[in-house]
């Protein structure tokens, strides 16, 4: 269990400055009222089959489900995926490259975490039950080569990217998430697969994640190129 709510409330309450970069993002004016499986289905244009079957800890979600509303952020049109146009790749400086199709990907062993989600612009969603693949396990499957120092994440929108250092990527709560509160993640919220970085601001949480590449050099992500801080840690994070 990871909770950061206390820290953020404290930081906001104490009037501490939270660095905010340029705030031009396309917010499509929608916020998700949580929880609600009907709303998830209504906002999911993905048609990937089979549906992932939630683990017992996801359904019902631990602690009753997320509190707060996601705002749908995107810098592109919102993509939608089906079995024919979705795959997930891990490649670059790895011993073994993988490309999974959806049927294969949903068979990989998932785990469950509960964590808070913070946008650096000042909104949060608390107590999210995420189910997915611990990032460090994917890295271990692929076998990271010694030369690699950066983990680069690509979105299926073709535009958005971000990165973590290898040490950050190996934190146990970094997750390649497939379900939220026991439901498939709708495409508006980055489904079928998004990165979850509970101890960092959500601009690290790449939506429509479909490729992980191990690289030698640094990579400056989409919002960091536009002024967001390279240091995305939320207050109280276990910085590595
Ligand atoms: N592909 C992609 N991923 C993205 C973004 C985006 O614009 N495109 N915005 C980021 C930011 S700044 C935030 S706060 C979260 C918002 O997630 P949500 O749209 O599910 O609320 O997604 C992050 N991941
Ligand atoms: Mo954000």
């Amino acid at each position: 269990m990871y909770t950061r709510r206390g820290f953020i409330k404290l930081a906001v309450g104490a009037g501490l400055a939270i660095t905010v970069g340029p705030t031009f993002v396309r917010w499509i004016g929608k916020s998700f009222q949580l929880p609600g499986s009907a709303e998830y289905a209504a906002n999911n244009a993905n048609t990937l089959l089979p549906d992932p079957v939630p683990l017992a800890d996801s359904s019902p979600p631990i602690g009753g489900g997320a509190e707060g509303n996601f705002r749908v952020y995107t810098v592109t049109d919102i993509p939608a995926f089906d079995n024919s146009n979705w795959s997930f790749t891990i490649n670059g400086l790895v011993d073994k490259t993988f490309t999974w199709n959806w049927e294969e990907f949903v068979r990989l062993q998932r785990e469950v975490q509960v964590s808070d989600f913070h946008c650096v612009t000042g909104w949060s969603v608390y107590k999210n039950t995420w189910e997915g693949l611990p990032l460090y396990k994917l890295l271990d499957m692929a076998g990271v080569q010694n030369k690699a120092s950066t983990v680069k994440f690509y979105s299926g929108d073709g535009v958005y990217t971000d990165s973590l250092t290898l040490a950050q990527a190996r934190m146990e709560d970094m997750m390649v998430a497939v379900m939220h509160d026991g439901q498939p993640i709708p495409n508006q919220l980055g489904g079928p697969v998004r990165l979850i970085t509970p101890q960092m601001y959500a601009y690290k949480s790449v939506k429509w994640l479909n490729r992980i590449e191990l690289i030698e050099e640094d990579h400056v992500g989409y919002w960091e190129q536009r002024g967001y801080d390279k240091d995305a840690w939320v207050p109280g994070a276990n910085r590595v």
Side-chain angles (χ1 to χ4, degrees):
M1 297 272 281
Y2 313 93
T3 58
R4 296 273 162 247
R5 167 162 46 170
F7 288 110
I8 293 291
K9 276 206 172 137
L10 198 69
V12 172
L16 299 178
I18 294 176
T19 315
V20 178
T23 50
F24 174 76
V25 288
R26 179 147 41 140
W27 173 26
I28 68 164
K30 185 185 286 261
S31 60
F32 273 64
Q33 308 295 318
L34 298 175
S37 54
E39 192 177 10
Y40 276 53
N43 287 288
N44 193 3
N46 291 331
T47 55
L48 293 148
L49 291 171
D51 279 333
V53 177
L55 293 165
D57 282 346
S58 273
S59 187
I62 296 167
E67 292 171 4
N69 298 315
F70 289 97
R71 298 178 187 183
V72 177
Y73 279 173
T74 183
V75 298
T76 63
D77 289 339
I78 297 179
F81 298 92
D82 59 37
N83 291 70
S84 74
N85 69 0
W86 190 87
S87 63
F88 193 98
T89 297
I90 179 164
N91 64 5
L93 299 173
V94 291
D95 293 333
K96 191 169 180 345
T97 290
F98 284 93
T99 296
W100 292 280
N101 64 25
W102 178 253
E103 292 89 335
E104 295 162 341
F105 197 77
V106 288
R107 280 202 294 268
L108 300 177
Q109 183 62 53
R110 293 187 296 274
E111 295 182 16
V112 176
Q113 65 163 282
V114 178
S115 57
D116 297 340
F117 181 100
H118 305 290
C119 174
V120 73
T121 63
W123 55 271
S124 299
V125 181
Y126 304 102
K127 289 172 51 181
N128 301 283
T129 296
W130 298 105
E131 180 177 317
L133 310 163
L135 179 57
Y136 75 90
K137 292 200 171 171
L138 279 179
L139 295 174
D140 287 345
M141 272 176 85
V144 176
Q145 295 178 359
N146 286 337
K147 267 202 316 194
S149 69
T150 302
V151 186
K152 180 176 176 183
F153 302 93
Y154 293 81
S155 171
D157 65 15
V159 173
Y160 201 89
T161 60
D162 213 319
S163 70
L164 296 171
T165 67
L166 202 48
Q168 293 166 355
R170 287 195 176 284
M171 293 174 79
E172 65 169 5
D173 53 357
M174 296 290 181
M175 179 177 269
V176 173
V178 178
M179 307 194 79
H180 179 262
D181 284 0
Q183 304 288 326
I185 302 172
N187 76 312
Q188 301 215 9
L189 296 185
V193 173
R194 79 181 297 168
L195 184 67
I196 295 303
T197 63
Q199 305 195 52
M200 292 185 180
Y201 287 111
Y203 57 90
K204 292 285 183 189
S205 173
V206 175
K207 296 168 71 171
W208 311 295
L209 179 69
N210 67 358
R211 181 180 167 203
I212 297 173
E213 184 187 22
L214 278 294
I215 59 176
E216 190 172 353
E217 65 283 1
D218 190 19
H219 170 73
V220 182
Y222 182 92
W223 281 119
E224 287 125 324
Q225 287 170 29
R226 291 159 178 81
Y228 275 30
D229 204 331
K230 276 290 280 181
D231 176 0
W233 296 109
V234 300
N238 302 313
R239 293 161 172 267
V240 295

